[in-house]
């Protein structure tokens, strides 16, 4: 990817993703050669469901907000929504708050009932960078921060 080279970033570097519901933006940050994370690119989120604020319970159609880690077991190349990765919601904090839900993803196909949906082109790039980060030795593809802004 020439875009990586132009920003002095390397294919396979660890990534960090931030999602902002208010602006419908997903930011993908990558670790640079000096060990600092650098904003690689911003992507428009096609669709997410619910309002600003965290997911509380199964079926509330809210998209989660919090810190999540995605490991190789949460990647789904056979998703019915093109490609996807599971956020790992509910995490330990969510469970302590009594929050419920499952199978909350970032995926393609631009439709959502609680997930963060991207265009297929964008999820191809995001998914590839996450997969390569894991192959490059990251135990997780980054800390995911999902929040309102």
């Amino acid at each position: 990817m020439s875009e990586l080279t132009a920003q002095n970033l390397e294919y396979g570097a660890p990534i960090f993703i931030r999602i902002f519901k208010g602006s419908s933006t997903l930011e993908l940050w990558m670790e640079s050669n000096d060990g600092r994370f650098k904003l690689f690119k911003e992507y428009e989120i096609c669709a997410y469901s619910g309002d600003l604020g965290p997911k509380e319970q199964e079926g509330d159609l809210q998209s989660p907000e919090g810190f999540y880690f995605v490991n190789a077991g949460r990647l789904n190349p056979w998703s019915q929504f093109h490609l996807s990765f599971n956020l790992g919601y509910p995490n330990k904090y969510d469970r302590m708050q009594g929050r419920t839900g499952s199978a909350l993803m970032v995926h393609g196909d631009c439709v959502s009932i609680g997930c963060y949906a991207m265009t297929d082109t964008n999820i191809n790039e995001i998914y590839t960078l996450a997969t390569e980060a894991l192959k490059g030795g990251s135990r997780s593809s980054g800390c995911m921060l999902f929040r309102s802004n």
Side-chain angles (χ1 to χ4, degrees):
M1 297 179 108
S2 60
E3 292 176 274
L4 292 174
T5 305
Q7 294 187 44
N8 291 321
L9 297 169
E10 293 182 13
Y11 199 60
I15 67 169
F16 174 83
I17 292 175
R18 298 191 316 163
I19 291 180
F20 298 96
K21 285 183 174 179
S23 61
S24 295
T25 304
L26 182 149
E27 295 178 345
L28 192 141
W29 294 70
M30 296 184 74
E31 187 175 15
S32 63
N33 292 334
D34 67 5
R36 296 180 183 170
F37 278 80
K38 179 179 181 180
L39 179 61
F40 168 61
K41 193 182 280 190
E42 293 183 5
Y43 303 87
E44 181 181 351
I45 299 168
C46 292
Y48 71 87
S49 56
D51 298 314
L52 298 180
K55 180 168 189 60
E56 300 284 334
Q57 63 186 355
E58 184 86 36
D60 67 4
L61 302 180
Q62 281 288 100
S63 298
E65 298 177 5
F67 291 92
Y68 304 96
F69 294 88
V70 176
N71 59 30
R74 293 188 178 152
L75 299 174
N76 183 4
W78 303 282
S79 172
Q80 68 184 34
F81 299 104
H82 188 57
L83 294 169
S84 67
F85 54 88
N86 189 320
L87 300 175
Y89 177 90
N91 62 21
K92 186 174 182 177
Y93 176 82
D94 295 320
R95 289 189 303 275
M96 289 175 58
Q97 301 302 311
R99 297 175 181 165
T100 60
S102 62
L104 292 152
M105 313 276 182
V106 174
H107 61 69
D109 210 24
C110 282
V111 294
S112 174
I113 54 169
C115 299
Y116 293 97
M118 312 300 292
T119 64
D120 289 351
T121 299
N122 286 346
I123 196 64
N124 284 345
E125 186 168 283
I126 296 162
Y127 187 92
T128 299
L129 291 170
T131 300
E132 292 305 312
L134 291 165
K135 286 181 186 176
S138 293
R139 289 189 350 187
S140 67
S141 65
C143 177
M144 310 295 179
L145 167 61
F146 301 89
R147 68 175 210 201
S148 306
N149 46 317

